[in-house]
Amino acid sequence: MKSKDVREKFLSYFENRDHKRISSASLIPRTDPTLMFTNAGMNQFKNVFLGKEKVDYNRATSCQKCCRVTGKHNDFEMVGKTPRHHTFFEMLGNFSFGNYFKKEAIEFGYELIVKEYGFPLDRLYFTVYKDDDEAYDLWHKHIGIPANRVLRYDEKENFWAMGDTGPCGPCSEIHYDFGPEYSKEIKNPEPANGGDRFIELWNLVFMQFNRTEDGKMEPLAAPSVDTGAGLERLSAVLQGKDNNYHSDLFMPLIEHLSDKAEVEYDADSAEGLALRVMADHIRAATFLISDGLLPSNEGRGYVLRRILRRGIRFAKKIGVEEPLLFESSGFVVSQMKDQYIELEQSRDFVARVIKSEEERFNSTIAYGMNYFKELIESPSIKKSTVVPGTEVFKLYDTFGLPLDFTKDMADEWGFQVDEKGFEAEMEKQRERARSSWKGSGAAAVDDLYIQLGNEFNSEFTGYTETESQGLQVLALIKDGSRVEKLLENEEGEIILDKTPFYGESGGQVGDQGKLSALEFEARVNNTVKPVASLFIHKVKIEKGTVKTGDILNAEVDAERRKNIMRNHTATHLLQAALRNELGMHVKQAGSLVEPDRFRFDFTHFSQVGPRELRRIEHFVNDKILQNREVSWKYTTLDGAIAEGAIALFDEKYGDEVRLITVDSVSKELCGGTHVNRTGDIGLFRIVSESSIAAGVRRIEALTGWGALNKAEATDYMIEETAKKMKTSVDELPHIIDKLLEKNKKQEKEIKDLQMKLAEGGSASDSDGEVKEVNGVKVFINRLDHLDAGGLRDFSDRLKNKHKSCIIILGASKGDKALMVASVSKDLSSKIDAVSLINKVSKAIEGGGGGRPDMAQAGGKKPENLDLALKNSEKIIEEEIKRAT
């Protein structure tokens, strides 16, 4: 049975038994700040299980994208080495929210596994918690499983908890037995101790208790069911494989990588291990990047970088030097896009991100090898012939060199590495990661809002009106608690049964305005939407008193709303323009829509140049002048995607989505407020373009009156500049060009004078500034009147004049010191200028880089410059002696 059929059979089975099929949530949990990655099917239902969120169904089924690379579910280092460990996997599950319980869950489990999938009963074992007589009897007496195949285990094996406190309960697992040939060395093998002979297919969790802080187990009012079955495991066994990597979820990708790397796949060889690691990691990276994650040096991005770098390292182990993983991401997309439609939209972008990371890592490895060579030249390491664990860790953490890679280099040069010290540093890093993880960045929703969201449902009427009458006050909040009334001059929050006020969400800020009644008025300073069904009006009571049950009128600040609408529709036109100009890899990566401006973050790898920006601006203004219709409708997510709509796949969409269409230009899923026609925007101006992260750019822009005011201010500035230059606006560019040319000539004259002054100050060998060591001329000088460029130019002049030489120059500039090291070409293969500058600049607490023949450093201790120059003489002598 193909894996896609395994997946569909599971989902269809439960869908036909009144379970609602729910799409996979993003791998990046947006509503749970405690999680780094989605790691189980129940994550997206956590608040439902906790009773904090209501849904319109009490049975659900899903196939959830999962990633386990951190925390207690950290499978990273085992990936590829065992048949069953993965970073990315798919978890099939069925869920009951206070509906059915153990009996039905066990009946479903038996019927699907045995009768639908056809697993032979004599190959199955069923485990239960040691005290769960109910589950034992259901398997043994109700289903008829022989007693020797229903096993009782303790809390470690068969009890599940969401955390130290909270919902928990016993679980029952279904295991498959591969046969005695897999456990020849084990006495009395069974699922808990049988090694690879047994594989867990499905875990049925019965959440029936709430564990309090004092450890008491209180029965839940509505016991629930949470199950999880790994698609990779089910598929492998159903396809007659004892290794997940040999199922059709992995083998086509492994064969693709094998062809590209020009190595044969042998499961037991080093090449086989490398190909499995590469296959797993490229799957994980493809899905994580598609869900909006980018490689970085912290948090989730750092985990993604580690995944990619481990894949690259294993590629290098089988002789692959050029980037390879990036093109294999497209293979993953083709294989998985039918189930995860978001992958196709991200195909090109994912490949570009991975290729960039591969190229970056190749450069980093080269730097790491140079750093290692410098290390082993230090006297202390030379004497001990042991590379300290701290340095081995630095090579791993900063330069990406794995321990075995460093050990091979050390062995080649006759050194050893301090492995215990390295492991100690690794443990420190793990502890730092645990203590520094502050959560996902998502704000946890206040329990009061969740409670109110379950109790009330505010209707938003603001798509068609900005004024409403006869609105009932459902609840009042002050200082985080519900109250019955708010008094004059107090600040608080008001919840209404209906409202025209837009609640901050989707990047669009909340509305402002006023609420009023006879003898009552409140200023609405902001409107927020903490949960889907709740609009919170943050108010200052300016007149009178408001009580629960009162009837109010609402008036949104209409002019402010119009400006927001102009900006929001402009973001849709801007995204269309960016995709038209830069390519279809462009995806929204964030936005902020305010009344006076907006910003739009998007995926792109290079700066957007001035000409491109002008064409993008022209595209948007052209569509504004065409006054195209802006329409909206409600539809299904699949229907919207089929129409070509752009969706943010890290968002969780409901059954019904709102599709905004700009006639023949743009289709996007969006809950924000928009103009009726593009002409209502008036004018569009780009203010700035910048980088905010690797692979993410930001454009800030203005529309309407803001854009017009900006244009007028620019015109005024140009006119005033022309007046000061005593010329016309038309002639201004020509006058500026003449001034720049004049300035350039004067700068050259100054530079020439500085060089003559420098040459005059280093006149002869007898003044002590020029030495000769083993036939090599050495120049050391302090030239405070030169900047960094001047120091480099002067060192070039000396090299051209003396051919074979080493030069160290320094200059003090305010609170900083500059140093330049230059080595003639005949010596640069033996004496590296980068290594030299790092050694000589230690006295000024400097650091730098450059090329083998030229390097520079800056330091924060200019008072030590003379000492640094004095020390450099001895350092150069040692370098020359070592090289000769």
Side-chain angles (χ1 to χ4, degrees):
M1 185 182 293
K2 292 183 178 179
S3 56
K4 67 177 184 179
D5 298 324
V6 177
R7 185 194 295 118
E8 182 56 35
K9 182 178 281 291
F10 188 101
L11 297 173
S12 296
Y13 174 87
F14 284 104
E15 201 170 30
N16 293 334
R17 286 156 182 78
D18 301 321
H19 290 64
K20 184 168 185 176
R21 187 185 296 212
I22 304 296
S23 299
S24 172
S26 169
L27 284 167
I28 316 301
R30 301 297 182 190
T31 57
D32 189 345
T34 66
L35 282 177
M36 183 169 276
F37 297 113
T38 299
N39 60 21
M42 62 78 59
N43 290 160
Q44 67 170 312
F45 303 115
K46 181 178 176 180
N47 282 336
V48 181
F49 282 122
L50 290 171
K52 293 182 176 182
E53 179 183 346
K54 282 186 177 179
V55 290
D56 60 0
Y57 49 87
N58 53 27
R59 296 182 174 198
T61 186
S62 70
C63 182
Q64 174 63 50
K65 301 178 289 188
C66 295
C67 191
R68 291 185 177 176
V69 198
T70 57
K72 70 176 184 178
H73 296 300
N74 186 352
D75 297 341
F76 189 52
E77 296 300 333
M78 297 304 295
V79 169
K81 298 177 182 178
T82 75
R84 299 162 194 170
H85 280 95
H86 308 291
T87 51
F88 170 83
F89 63 97
E90 298 174 76
M91 184 174 283
L92 297 161
N94 61 290
F95 310 91
S96 165
F97 311 116
N99 182 254
Y100 61 82
F101 200 44
K102 293 181 184 178
K103 180 176 179 293
E104 294 87 344
I106 286 173
E107 288 173 344
F108 289 149
Y110 173 78
E111 185 177 46
L112 182 54
I113 286 289
V114 177
K115 296 184 178 180
E116 296 291 330
Y117 283 132
F119 281 92
L121 193 56
D122 62 356
R123 286 292 187 98
L124 299 176
Y125 282 84
F126 307 84
T127 67
V128 298
Y129 180 55
K130 62 181 181 178
D131 297 331
D132 194 352
D133 295 333
E134 182 184 1
Y136 182 90
D137 289 343
L138 283 167
W139 282 118
H140 177 45
K141 296 178 181 180
H142 180 61
I143 300 295
I145 305 299
N148 66 339
R149 289 188 172 269
V150 184
L151 308 176
R152 294 177 185 265
Y153 287 136
D154 60 16
E155 188 167 339
K156 179 183 177 183
E157 299 292 338
N158 276 81
F159 197 91
W160 183 91
M162 190 177 288
D164 294 334
T165 61
C168 59
C171 61
S172 179
E173 297 174 346
I174 303 174
H175 295 260
Y176 181 82
D177 181 3
F178 282 108
E181 61 271 26
Y182 287 82
S183 60
K184 293 177 181 178
E185 305 299 322
I186 301 174
K187 290 184 178 181
N188 303 317
E190 55 184 61
N193 66 5
D196 289 338
R197 171 172 172 172
F198 300 93
I199 183 171
E200 176 196 323
L201 297 176
W202 200 353
N203 187 13
L204 317 178
V205 177
F206 310 123
M207 285 193 277
Q208 63 186 99
F209 300 111
N210 179 60
R211 180 180 279 160
T212 61
E213 290 186 1
D214 59 4
K216 290 182 180 178
M217 305 289 277
E218 299 175 345
L220 290 174
S224 299
V225 173
D226 158 29
T227 84
L231 175 64
E232 292 77 9
R233 296 182 175 202
L234 282 175
S235 300
V237 178
L238 286 169
Q239 292 167 18
K241 309 296 183 184
D242 59 4
N243 188 319
N244 292 358
Y245 289 95
H246 297 163
S247 74
D248 67 345
L249 283 165
F250 284 94
M251 276 311 297
L253 177 57
I254 288 174
E255 290 167 354
H256 169 81
L257 290 166
S258 174
D259 289 342
K260 293 294 181 180
E262 298 181 352
V263 297
E264 290 292 324
Y265 177 71
D266 175 357
D268 299 323
S269 68
E271 290 79 9
L273 170 61
L275 290 168
R276 288 193 297 273
V277 170
M278 292 161 65
D280 176 276
H281 290 4
I282 195 61
R283 276 167 41 105
T286 299
F287 275 90
L288 286 168
I289 296 168
S290 180
D291 275 357
L293 188 62
L294 291 171
S296 70
N297 287 327
E298 58 185 19
R300 293 187 180 117
Y302 180 62
V303 176
L304 172 58
R305 175 160 284 165
R306 285 181 61 210
I307 290 171
L308 281 169
R309 288 187 170 185
R310 187 168 185 258
I312 298 166
R313 291 202 309 260
F314 273 89
K316 289 185 178 298
K317 285 188 175 186
I318 56 175
V320 178
E321 294 299 330
E322 296 301 316
L324 170 66
L325 299 185
F326 79 96
E327 62 177 358
S328 301
S329 67
F331 191 93
V332 175
V333 172
S334 298
Q335 189 179 27
M336 306 291 280
K337 66 180 181 180
D338 290 343
Q339 175 67 18
Y340 303 104
I341 56 178
E342 65 270 25
L343 292 175
E344 186 60 51
Q345 289 192 2
S346 306
R347 179 192 290 264
D348 293 342
F349 178 69
V350 169
R352 292 184 68 176
V353 171
I354 294 173
K355 185 177 184 182
S356 173
E357 192 66 13
E358 289 187 271
E359 292 171 342
R360 178 190 181 118
F361 187 45
N362 285 338
S363 299
T364 303
I365 284 179
Y367 283 122
M369 293 175 71
N370 286 335
Y371 181 78
F372 176 82
K373 290 175 183 176
E374 287 183 24
L375 272 179
I376 60 176
E377 289 173 8
S378 68
S380 60
I381 295 178
K382 266 187 176 181
K383 185 177 180 181
S384 67
T385 69
V386 176
V387 183
T390 53
E391 295 292 357
V392 179
F393 175 76
K394 183 175 182 179
L395 287 164
Y396 168 82
D397 192 51
T398 303
F399 299 104
L401 303 187
L403 177 61
D404 56 357
F405 191 99
T406 302
K407 285 170 66 177
D408 288 345
M409 283 198 300
D411 185 61
E412 182 182 338
W413 290 82
F415 288 81
Q416 295 178 314
V417 300
D418 173 16
E419 292 189 48
K420 287 185 178 179
F422 169 76
E423 289 300 332
E425 292 299 317
M426 285 291 288
E427 183 54 39
K428 289 179 186 177
Q429 184 203 51
R430 285 189 280 268
E431 183 56 40
R432 285 194 299 270
R434 285 190 289 267
S435 61
S436 67
W437 171 244
K438 303 300 182 183
S440 64
V445 178
D446 190 286
D447 285 346
L448 177 59
Y449 291 147
I450 294 173
Q451 177 189 332
L452 291 168
N454 288 332
E455 188 175 346
F456 303 119
N457 185 23
S458 303
E459 179 187 348
F460 178 61
T461 62
Y463 289 135
T464 56
E465 62 183 13
T466 54
E467 295 184 21
S468 301
Q469 289 76 42
L471 311 178
Q472 185 179 14
V473 177
L474 298 177
L476 299 169
I477 302 171
K478 182 185 176 185
D479 298 329
S481 300
R482 290 181 71 168
V483 295
E484 284 302 310
K485 61 184 178 181
L486 290 172
L487 305 177
E488 190 169 313
N489 292 322
E490 287 187 338
E491 293 185 357
E493 300 171 4
I494 298 177
I495 300 170
L496 304 170
D497 63 338
K498 297 179 182 179
T499 181
F501 283 81
Y502 183 85
E504 182 177 336
S505 58
Q508 179 176 323
V509 297
D511 279 333
Q512 297 177 358
K514 68 179 182 178
L515 299 174
S516 62
L518 190 64
E519 301 299 322
F520 170 78
E521 190 167 302
R523 183 175 73 251
V524 179
N525 294 316
N526 194 15
T527 311
V528 297
K529 189 181 176 184
V531 295
S533 59
L534 209 62
F535 290 79
I536 305 292
H537 306 80
K538 294 182 176 290
V539 301
K540 170 75 180 289
I541 310 301
E542 296 186 327
K543 178 182 176 183
T545 300
V546 63
K547 300 186 294 295
T548 303
D550 283 355
I551 303 300
L552 304 180
N553 301 322
E555 183 180 343
V556 175
D557 183 336
E559 281 305 309
R560 182 175 181 274
R561 165 75 81 79
K562 285 178 183 177
N563 289 333
I564 292 171
M565 290 162 65
R566 290 186 183 105
N567 284 336
H568 204 151
T569 304
T571 66
H572 289 217
L573 292 178
L574 175 59
Q575 179 157 223
L578 288 165
R579 288 165 72 88
N580 178 71
E581 177 67 29
L582 305 178
M584 300 304 284
H585 65 276
V586 169
K587 288 175 60 179
Q588 181 175 338
S591 68
L592 176 63
V593 180
E594 296 180 313
D596 55 344
R597 69 186 182 104
F598 75 84
R599 69 176 187 234
F600 186 82
D601 302 337
F602 59 98
T603 54
H604 188 59
F605 274 92
S606 58
Q607 181 181 4
V608 184
R611 291 183 180 179
E612 291 172 312
L613 289 173
R614 295 288 76 79
R615 288 195 293 268
I616 290 165
E617 193 173 80
H618 183 273
F619 179 100
V620 175
N621 282 311
D622 180 55
K623 300 303 178 276
I624 290 171
L625 289 171
Q626 290 174 17
N627 199 26
R628 292 178 179 248
E629 181 185 11
V630 181
S631 60
W632 59 272
K633 68 177 181 180
Y634 288 106
T635 183
T636 64
L637 176 60
D638 288 344
I641 299 301
E643 287 189 44
I646 296 174
L648 297 176
F649 284 98
D650 57 354
E651 294 285 339
K652 183 64 181 173
Y653 294 104
D655 294 335
E656 194 174 59
V657 296
R658 187 165 179 261
L659 177 61
I660 304 295
T661 301
V662 180
D663 182 27
S664 303
V665 177
S666 166
K667 287 180 183 287
E668 291 192 36
L669 301 186
C670 179
T673 58
H674 291 269
V675 299
N676 292 320
R677 303 193 75 89
T678 58
D680 298 339
I681 297 171
L683 179 65
F684 170 80
R685 289 288 299 270
I686 293 174
V687 176
S688 66
E689 190 275 345
S690 60
S691 170
I692 60 168
V696 181
R697 310 295 299 181
R698 170 174 291 172
I699 282 179
E700 298 197 40
L702 305 170
T703 65
W705 285 108
L708 183 59
N709 292 339
K710 175 68 175 176
E712 289 176 344
T714 301
D715 285 347
Y716 176 78
M717 180 178 63
I718 293 171
E719 289 166 2
E720 288 299 301
T721 303
K723 284 181 184 178
K724 289 179 181 179
M725 303 298 291
K726 294 185 168 72
T727 187
S728 67
V729 170
D730 291 341
E731 286 294 310
L732 186 59
H734 175 64
I735 295 298
I736 291 174
D737 285 342
K738 287 177 67 177
L739 279 174
L740 289 173
E741 184 61 32
K742 183 178 179 182
N743 188 54
K744 187 176 179 181
K745 288 180 179 178
Q746 290 175 339
E747 285 182 347
K748 186 177 183 305
E749 290 172 1
I750 292 170
K751 196 172 185 179
D752 289 342
L753 289 171
Q754 288 176 333
M755 288 299 108
K756 288 179 181 178
L757 181 62
E759 288 170 347
S762 58
S764 67
D765 292 359
S766 61
D767 62 11
E769 293 165 344
V770 182
K771 289 184 174 293
E772 190 166 305
V773 179
N774 288 0
V776 178
K777 286 187 176 180
V778 176
F779 294 83
I780 301 171
N781 209 346
R782 176 169 178 159
L783 303 166
D784 286 341
H785 58 283
L786 295 183
D787 58 14
L791 293 175
R792 291 193 302 270
D793 289 343
F794 185 58
S795 70
D796 285 342
R797 289 192 181 203
L798 288 174
K799 280 197 295 187
N800 290 335
K801 181 178 180 182
H802 296 282
K803 305 304 179 188
S804 183
C805 59
I806 297 173
I807 302 155
I808 300 292
L809 303 176
S812 177
K813 296 293 179 184
D815 60 351
K816 292 182 180 179
L818 302 174
M819 295 191 76
V820 165
S822 191
V823 181
S824 57
K825 287 190 176 181
D826 64 315
L827 298 172
S828 60
S829 60
K830 301 175 184 177
I831 300 172
D832 181 48
V834 176
S835 175
L836 188 59
I837 196 68
N838 284 323
K839 291 176 181 177
V840 300
S841 64
K842 282 183 179 178
I844 61 168
E845 295 187 11
R851 306 185 309 268
D853 64 329
M854 168 77 78
Q856 69 180 56
K860 55 186 178 182
K861 292 279 188 179
E863 64 271 20
N864 291 344
L865 180 59
D866 287 335
L867 176 63
L869 292 170
K870 182 180 179 182
N871 292 344
S872 63
E873 183 177 326
K874 184 177 179 182
I875 292 169
I876 291 172
E877 287 179 0
E878 290 177 353
E879 290 293 309
I880 293 173
K881 289 176 183 176
R882 180 189 60 79
T884 56

